[in-house]
Amino acid sequence: MGDLHAAITAALGLILAVDPAVMAIVGLSLRVSLSAVLIAALVGLPLGALLAVTRFPGRQSAIVALNALMGLPPVVAGLLIYLLLSRSGPLGPLGLLFTPTAMVIAQAVLIAPILAALTREALSGLWEEYAEQLRSFGAGPLRAVPTLLWDGRFALLTVLLAGFGRASAEVGAVMIVGGNIEGFTRVMTTAIALETSKGDLPLALALGLVLMAIVVAVNALAQALRGAASRWAG
Amino acid sequence: MVTLRRSLLAAILALAAFPTSAQERAITVASTTSTEQSGLFGHILPLFTEAAGIRVRVVALGTGQALDVGRRGDADVVFVHDRAAEERFVAEGFGGPRHPVMYNDFVLVGPAADPARIAGARDVAEALRRVASARAGFISRGDRSGTHAAELRLWREVGLDPVQGRGQWYREIGQSMGPALNAAAAQGAYVLADRGTWLSFRNRQDLRVLAEGDERLFNQYGVMVVSAARHPHVNAEGARRFVEWLVSPVGQAAIASYRINGEQLFFPNAPQPEPARPS
Amino acid sequence: MRAPDTILPLLVEALRFAAGGVEILHGVSFSIEAGQPTVVIGPNGAGKSVLLRLLHGLLPPGGGAVRWAAAPDRAAARQAMVFQRPVLLRRSVAANVAYPLALAGIAPRERARRAEEALDLVGLAALAERPARRLSGGEQQRLALARAAALRPEVLFLDEPCASLDPSATRTVEEIVAALARRGTKIVMTTHDIGQARRLAGEVIFLHRGRVLEHAPAPRFFAAPEAPEAAAFLQGDLVW
Ligand SMILES: Nc1ncnc2c1ncn2[C@@H]1O[C@H](COP(=O)(O)OP(=O)(O)O)[C@@H](O)[C@H]1O
Ligand SMILES: [Mg+2]
């Protein structure tokens, strides 16, 4: 009880004092997670749309694989990317291990399957509605992909937000590939893990509250945009 | 529409681009949670950066993992505390030479109630023997860290194999020092901790230092430059300057000046060149 | 004289279709020539919608053939279809009309011109920038017609274009269909509304339980239907 109270007070203090170190961590968290969502979206959204519109042998297995990848433990993903990016690994010469870029890659790998699976789900209803009309226009499944992505944009915003939520809450993978280097690769979640292990539970909790506030703010912003735009589109 | 797309693209690029300049002006140090979490690096690294113009990026891990990171060439410097493992690292040609930098000591921490009655023991072997025979809860790091290696060395000295009690009174958690202390606090268990982390640890609840001062609890830190022959990409120059600074009088003084509540955490002991003797 | 690039006449030979083990069309044969609208009438469940989808190439025949007087891709490019429930994209009215034009490879400037013209034809020019799915039912159906018309198809299939519209919206849609027919578009439409068939049809195909029972010029059909089922249907006695 006392700890919780201390945490809330500390969280307010962190936000109100605009502590530069905390702001830098918040900024990096946002940049890493938003970049990861963007990159994962470039792959996951078209892939999900393609799975929604095409019928090919092995499609069911692809969906099962995708759903399994959704459950990929972040630590495992982090480890794989660590081994790839390590100087002794195949992508070592890029020198990306322990950099924010490595963290973006790890988060993108983690959330791309989530985005693809959720996109498939969000667009398959739309495809059911559009399929015949698009075929009448002479548009095959491949041409339908960008159409569905655009016409499903409001539902996809929710998909992107789910990806962002998962990315920004993720700690296992970014800890491994980023190294939690102060002032360079320390993000909200790894800072929380660090403060927890230093036994400063109120500070850890306060950082957690700040993280939640950010995620809530991003969601509120996106939902407001979505609301305004979808009122327009009907 | 076109301008919207263009500005979206610009936003994506801005978001995805991370600064990579100042790369040569930075070194990566694989070190231990004890040095990072005790706040030592926060104290001394700004001094080095100011003097040398080189930023230091610390990846804090267990000693075993930190040495592995060095072996893979993912760090320029390794700064850890397990002499035997460090000497192996040097012997295998992954880096070196090894420079002793500083020491502190381990303390045996446990609940105030002290069910194994070890309080005040100067003989750490006797204290551990009592913990084992009382089958009192004991948290082991279990993570190949320097502290874990020291703990296993102590058990061997006692002539006990705690692994027999594994899962019951002897609990390996496979995590760093802080989580081990958190676990001990939550379970009212004993744990071997480095003094630096212990002093900066905030969630002690009713944990106390119950045994300390035995010379077998001595904890030596060493530093090594990762071999540029093995890993040509390492920032050998930056690494060399960092190690030289650490063992120099200035670096040693910086280490000595780090205190929590007036208590010194690390004691520099790098061998200094003999002052020129008048002949 | 027939234009050299026409896809008509359309020959339908012993066309069959079954779904879920149930025979829906039992081998129908007829031909459709250029000219006044061909209206397929028949009670609910007769197979009118299935027939139109087969003609438009959206369903594969279970037997028999649908033959156009042109190669299949040319034929496909020269026809359009409006569905019973209009499928509108989640975009503006103008963007809906432009979409299939873009697919057909028409340049942006020409697209805009054609979209404007088609929206004028259906009286929606003032709503061009409105979101399509906010339109009323009648406006939506008119937009679907404009979208199809902008493609300038030789053959336009309409499946019950007024099924869920009120009388005034129905009248507007019928006027648009008549205008398109006057401009030379071959209309092939289904309806279960006898009045609508009388107002629009040049010829009638009477479909009943998956069979064509009568195919005749409209005046002759409405004056003296040959098939007893057709007569019953015209009297309102045949419900299915
Ligand atoms: N895909 C389908 N699967 C099974 N039955 C169908 C399918 N499509 C249509 N039918 C059935 O075929 C018959 C004809 O349907 P339809 O062509 O829609 O009739 P209508 O003349 O009213 O347009 C109906 O009995 C309908 O239930
Ligand atoms: Mg029908």
Side-chain angles (χ1 to χ4, degrees):
Chain A
M1 209 51 219
D3 276 357
L4 205 58
H5 186 256
I8 292 167
T9 314
L12 284 175
L14 287 177
I15 295 170
L16 295 178
V18 199
D19 181 274
V22 173
M23 288 306 131
I25 291 175
V26 168
L28 184 65
S29 289
L30 282 174
R31 281 176 56 179
V32 166
S33 296
L34 289 174
S35 305
V37 168
L38 269 169
I39 291 168
L42 290 179
V43 178
L45 264 51
L47 186 65
L50 206 59
L51 284 172
V53 303
T54 51
R55 299 287 177 273
F56 56 91
R59 174 175 174 274
Q60 212 52 42
S61 330
I63 291 172
V64 169
L66 207 57
N67 287 335
L69 277 178
M70 275 175 81
L72 183 69
V75 178
V76 174
L79 211 53
L80 286 173
I81 292 161
Y82 177 93
L83 293 175
L84 282 175
L85 295 183
S86 167
R87 288 289 185 173
S88 304
L91 302 179
L94 299 176
L96 290 177
L97 192 66
F98 302 143
T99 66
T101 307
M103 300 158 80
V104 171
I105 294 170
Q107 290 192 347
V109 165
L110 275 175
I111 63 175
I114 298 175
L115 294 186
L118 294 179
T119 298
R120 186 191 71 79
E121 224 166 280
L123 294 186
S124 53
L126 196 58
W127 174 239
E128 218 161 274
E129 184 192 333
Y130 279 13
E132 214 169 33
Q133 181 69 71
L134 294 189
R135 275 185 59 208
S136 168
F137 290 151
L142 278 183
R143 187 57 187 75
V145 164
T147 302
L148 288 182
L149 288 174
W150 177 249
D151 281 37
R153 57 200 178 274
F154 303 118
L156 293 181
L157 188 61
T158 311
V159 168
L160 291 179
L161 285 176
F164 173 74
R166 162 105 185 202
S168 54
E170 191 285 315
V171 56
V174 291
M175 181 71 93
I176 293 174
V177 304
N180 191 24
I181 297 169
E182 186 182 2
F184 187 51
T185 59
R186 184 161 299 165
V187 289
M188 293 300 287
T189 54
T190 57
I192 291 167
L194 178 68
E195 293 309 330
T196 304
S197 70
K198 281 158 83 171
D200 198 340
L201 305 188
L203 180 55
L205 208 52
L207 287 168
L209 292 175
V210 174
L211 176 62
M212 278 170 62
I214 293 165
V215 173
V216 166
V218 168
N219 271 271
L221 189 72
Q223 293 297 357
L225 281 177
R226 174 192 169 143
S230 69
R231 263 191 303 285
W232 181 87
Chain B
M1 200 64 191
V2 173
T3 51
L4 177 77
R5 264 180 216 167
R6 217 168 263 164
S7 50
L8 202 66
L9 195 69
I12 293 173
L13 291 177
L15 212 59
F18 289 94
T20 46
S21 58
Q23 192 83 21
E24 319 78 59
R25 312 296 307 153
I27 57 170
T28 301
V29 175
S31 189
T32 67
T33 46
S34 54
T35 39
E36 161 93 343
Q37 294 185 12
S38 64
L40 174 71
F41 281 142
H43 177 72
I44 66 169
L45 294 184
L47 300 174
F48 169 70
T49 299
E50 196 178 328
I54 299 173
R55 291 177 56 93
V56 182
R57 293 173 181 154
V58 177
V59 181
L61 302 157
T63 289
Q65 287 173 303
L67 286 166
D68 283 348
V69 164
R71 280 192 179 89
R72 302 186 64 90
D74 293 322
D76 305 302
V77 174
V78 182
F79 188 178
V80 292
H81 63 131
D82 181 357
R83 185 170 180 167
E86 291 161 37
E87 282 170 349
R88 229 170 14 252
F89 180 84
V90 173
E92 289 161 359
F94 288 106
R98 171 182 178 274
H99 300 274
V101 176
M102 63 189 188
Y103 69 91
N104 67 356
D105 63 343
F106 296 112
V107 290
L108 195 51
V109 167
D114 192 17
R117 314 221 158 280
I118 65 168
R122 294 279 308 185
D123 181 344
V124 67
E126 177 54 26
L128 284 178
R129 211 172 280 124
R130 285 188 215 164
V131 168
S133 62
R135 305 181 72 71
F138 186 94
I139 303 293
S140 170
R141 292 275 296 272
D143 66 346
R144 295 198 307 129
S145 60
T147 308
H148 185 218
E151 179 217 315
L152 294 178
R153 207 161 47 237
L154 288 170
W155 283 116
R156 267 199 304 280
E157 212 159 300
V158 177
L160 278 171
D161 180 9
V163 170
Q164 290 166 356
R166 183 154 50 186
Q168 296 163 41
W169 63 271
Y170 185 82
R171 299 156 200 162
E172 289 182 330
I173 64 165
Q175 294 190 65
S176 61
M177 196 68 254
L181 284 165
N182 278 328
Q187 301 174 20
Y190 295 87
V191 63
L192 185 72
D194 68 279
R195 191 182 291 274
T197 306
W198 166 253
L199 285 176
S200 55
F201 185 70
R202 303 282 293 274
N203 181 35
R204 293 181 187 176
Q205 301 184 32
D206 73 339
L207 291 182
R208 305 267 183 284
V209 171
L210 295 173
E212 61 184 322
D214 190 315
E215 66 180 23
R216 286 169 290 190
L217 291 172
F218 180 78
N219 179 24
Q220 176 69 44
Y221 287 82
V223 70
M224 288 142 290
V225 170
V226 172
S227 163
R230 278 237 192 197
H231 295 293
H233 62 268
V234 297
N235 185 345
E237 170 64 12
R240 185 185 59 77
R241 289 180 63 188
F242 178 59
V243 170
E244 276 174 6
W245 182 83
L246 272 182
V247 301
S248 74
V250 179
Q252 296 275 291
I255 292 168
S257 69
Y258 182 55
R259 288 181 154 78
I260 293 178
N261 298 328
E263 198 167 338
Q264 183 173 346
L265 270 71
F266 296 94
F267 300 85
N269 66 346
Q272 295 302 315
E274 300 279 316
R277 240 175 261 163
S279 52
Chain C
M1 217 192 86
R2 191 200 287 165
D5 63 342
T6 183
I7 63 171
L8 289 171
L10 166 64
L11 301 179
V12 177
E13 293 163 1
L15 186 61
R16 298 178 165 279
F17 187 77
V22 181
E23 191 93 346
I24 296 168
L25 286 182
H26 303 274
V28 300
S29 300
F30 55 86
S31 69
I32 290 178
E33 314 270 343
Q36 291 199 305
T38 299
V39 176
V40 181
I41 65 171
N44 266 326
K48 304 183 295 294
S49 297
V50 165
L51 176 62
L52 236 55
R53 282 183 166 81
L54 282 161
L55 300 186
H56 188 43
L58 294 176
L59 291 175
V66 174
R67 285 188 216 290
W68 296 91
D73 14 331
R74 235 203 98 56
R78 301 280 293 131
Q79 49 178 301
M81 177 158 174
V82 172
F83 295 87
Q84 188 164 338
R85 288 188 52 232
V87 180
L88 297 183
L89 304 177
R90 285 153 177 80
R91 306 174 184 209
S92 72
V93 166
N96 262 276
V97 181
Y99 178 85
L101 298 176
L103 281 181
I106 290 163
R109 194 171 294 203
E110 169 72 0
R111 249 183 260 165
R113 214 181 53 70
R114 282 217 214 167
E116 211 179 303
E117 182 190 289
L119 288 176
D120 260 338
L121 173 77
V122 302
L124 289 177
L127 304 183
E129 293 313 314
R130 290 266 289 276
R133 302 176 61 100
R134 294 265 140 156
L135 300 180
S136 73
E139 289 166 341
Q140 292 202 4
Q141 195 57 278
R142 275 148 64 197
L143 172 55
L145 276 168
R147 189 170 60 182
L151 284 165
R152 305 205 176 141
E154 188 181 349
V155 177
L156 177 55
F157 294 105
L158 307 174
D159 191 10
E160 306 257 10
C162 305
S164 48
L165 302 186
D166 63 31
S168 102
T170 298
R171 186 51 56 104
T172 314
V173 166
E174 284 180 7
E175 279 164 11
I176 295 166
V177 171
L180 286 170
R182 274 195 306 277
R183 282 188 355 187
T185 306
K186 172 68 192 187
I187 304 287
V188 179
M189 67 179 278
T190 68
T191 184
H192 65 274
D193 174 350
I194 297 160
Q196 181 168 70
R198 278 184 205 277
R199 290 189 292 274
L200 292 174
E203 62 167 0
V204 172
I205 293 175
F206 179 68
L207 192 66
H208 182 242
R209 297 192 188 175
R211 289 193 167 81
V212 173
L213 298 188
E214 200 161 349
H215 184 183
R220 221 274 285 117
F221 178 81
F222 289 115
E226 277 171 6
E229 292 88 348
F233 179 70
L234 287 180
Q235 265 152 36
D237 291 347
L238 192 65
V239 190
W240 63 278

